[in-house]
Amino acid sequence: MRPRRSCLAVPGSSLKMIDKARGLHADQVFLDLEDACAPLAKPGARKTIVAALNEGGWDGKARVVRVNDWTTEWTYRDVVEVVEGAGANLDCIMLPKVQTAEQVVTLDTLLSQIEKTMGYEVGRIGIEAQIENAKGLVNVDAIATASPRVETIIFGPADFMASINMKSLVVGEQPPGYDVGDAYHYILMRILMAARAVDVQAIDGPYLQIRDVDGFRRVAGRSAALGFDGKWVLHPGQIDAANETFSPRQEDYDHAENILDAYEWYTSEAGGKRGAAMLGDEMIDEASRKMALVISGKGRAAGMSRNDPWTPPEA
Ligand code: GLV
Ligand code: MG
């Protein structure tokens, strides 16, 4: 899977911001035709996006375009123009405000037709599905399995808060008056379970107070702790915080690699074919190996390198 610790939102109508995004260290860039692009600017933005994708310079970043949702009049032209024009230089289409599995199937069908017409590999372009209202959340399991193209399920907190009438205007922070836990816990967990059940990534949405990097870290830290793979970033100042928050800590990465090496050795002939063994003061078994694989996978995807590797005890 592609790393998506930081998913940078860039208005598709701003050539200046698109050019700047090329040089930033976000894992993913998404060029937006939806809410960061005014209705009158959408037709021009489609052309700007096609040119920017074809120009290249996105080295290693996942290249994504967010189209408008299916209840608008813009979606089909967004998809046709962008994918016909730049499908070979595009990794995923992000579909906002997804409410039903059928909306994903419709996008899948349209993508397949364009891929066939243009001679692209059929099925290569992925789909990122944004959950932004109660109906989408209720249907999230079916949405996650609606097409093999689905690569991520994304929480869209701003639209979601509006759609459920949450009594707050500050995205990501707790609504005033709710003092008994995390008001977003259920939504985040629901999305995470739907994603994990079918092995797709779970991505947290934006934090709008872009000058408050500590606030970003706090909110990102919550979804990262649950198991989310990454979060949107709206400003260059949020990128390092996202990359750090969604990577393992160095000591956890080193520990995970040591568990994997030690467990492999202890279960081998030389190590005594043991299913449970001691690593320092800690007992490790097959479940420890599975947990370690998650942390080591995230660390390796983030390009981390390891300190103090474990070595087998002297014979
Ligand atoms: C993102 O699209 C959001 O609504 O939070
Ligand atoms: Mg939204």
Side-chain angles (χ1 to χ4, degrees):
M1 271 196 229
R2 313 170 203 275
R4 286 189 171 91
R5 297 166 303 172
S6 48
C7 304
L8 178 66
V10 183
S13 49
S14 169
L15 196 53
K16 192 169 144 229
M17 287 168 99
I18 294 176
D19 280 340
K20 176 149 195 218
R22 283 196 177 86
L24 300 173
H25 298 292
D27 289 340
Q28 166 175 311
V29 166
F30 78 86
L31 308 177
D32 194 14
L33 285 169
E34 203 220 18
D35 286 355
C37 194
L40 289 177
K42 291 183 199 285
R46 293 180 188 129
K47 293 183 174 46
T48 305
I49 287 175
V50 166
L53 290 171
N54 289 338
E55 237 168 68
W58 299 103
D59 48 69
K61 296 181 180 58
R63 300 154 300 174
V64 178
V65 173
R66 179 165 75 164
V67 297
N68 288 278
D69 85 273
W70 279 124
T71 65
T72 68
E73 67 270 41
W74 296 302
T75 323
Y76 79 104
R77 274 198 192 280
D78 291 345
V79 178
V80 171
E81 278 198 36
V82 167
V83 181
E84 279 194 359
N89 295 313
L90 170 71
D91 297 306
C92 293
I93 293 288
M94 185 188 297
L95 187 62
K97 302 184 179 70
V98 180
Q99 305 194 53
T100 63
E102 287 72 19
Q103 293 184 328
V104 174
V105 174
T106 305
L107 177 57
D108 178 314
T109 307
L110 182 54
L111 285 171
S112 295
Q113 292 201 349
I114 302 171
E115 286 166 337
K116 283 182 201 159
T117 304
M118 300 302 294
Y120 304 145
E121 178 188 338
V122 176
R124 191 192 62 81
I125 296 173
I127 294 177
E128 303 196 344
Q130 249 192 304
I131 301 298
E132 308 199 73
N133 52 43
K135 191 165 174 193
L137 192 66
V138 166
N139 290 326
V140 67
D141 294 326
I143 288 166
T145 52
S147 158
R149 293 183 193 264
V150 175
E151 294 189 17
T152 69
I153 306 290
I154 304 166
F155 174 41
D159 276 301
F160 205 103
M161 288 164 72
S163 97
I164 62 171
N165 294 0
M166 195 180 259
K167 225 173 131 193
S168 168
L169 281 170
V170 188
V171 171
E173 298 296 351
Q174 301 302 315
Y178 192 75
D179 57 1
V180 288
D182 179 358
Y184 305 96
H185 181 76
Y186 169 74
I187 309 169
L188 290 171
M189 275 307 217
R190 188 71 196 79
I191 287 174
L192 184 62
M193 294 307 120
R196 287 290 171 265
V198 293
D199 256 347
V200 303
Q201 290 180 328
I203 305 295
D204 193 7
Y207 184 75
L208 304 185
Q209 319 300 315
I210 56 171
R211 293 189 209 293
D212 182 1
V213 179
D214 289 341
F216 177 92
R217 282 183 194 276
R218 196 173 57 244
V219 173
R222 291 183 196 135
S223 55
L226 293 178
F228 272 62
D229 299 283
K231 184 169 175 65
W232 282 16
V233 290
L234 304 181
H235 185 268
Q238 296 178 328
I239 295 176
D240 285 347
N243 288 344
E244 279 162 35
T245 307
F246 289 92
S247 300
R249 294 182 310 164
Q250 182 69 44
E251 65 209 82
D252 293 338
Y253 175 67
D254 294 340
H255 187 190
E257 293 289 5
N258 284 348
I259 290 176
L260 294 178
D261 285 355
Y263 195 65
E264 188 183 343
W265 187 78
Y266 281 118
T267 51
S268 73
E269 197 76 49
K273 294 184 279 189
R274 277 176 274 178
M278 293 303 286
L279 175 65
D281 292 337
E282 172 189 26
M283 178 163 282
I284 58 170
D285 67 3
E286 179 56 27
S288 321
R289 189 183 72 88
K290 291 202 176 78
M291 291 194 293
L293 273 176
V294 172
I295 305 293
S296 103
K298 287 193 183 207
R300 288 180 200 182
M304 293 175 76
S305 51
R306 165 183 194 185
N307 302 322
D308 301 330
W310 178 85
T311 48
E314 302 288 324

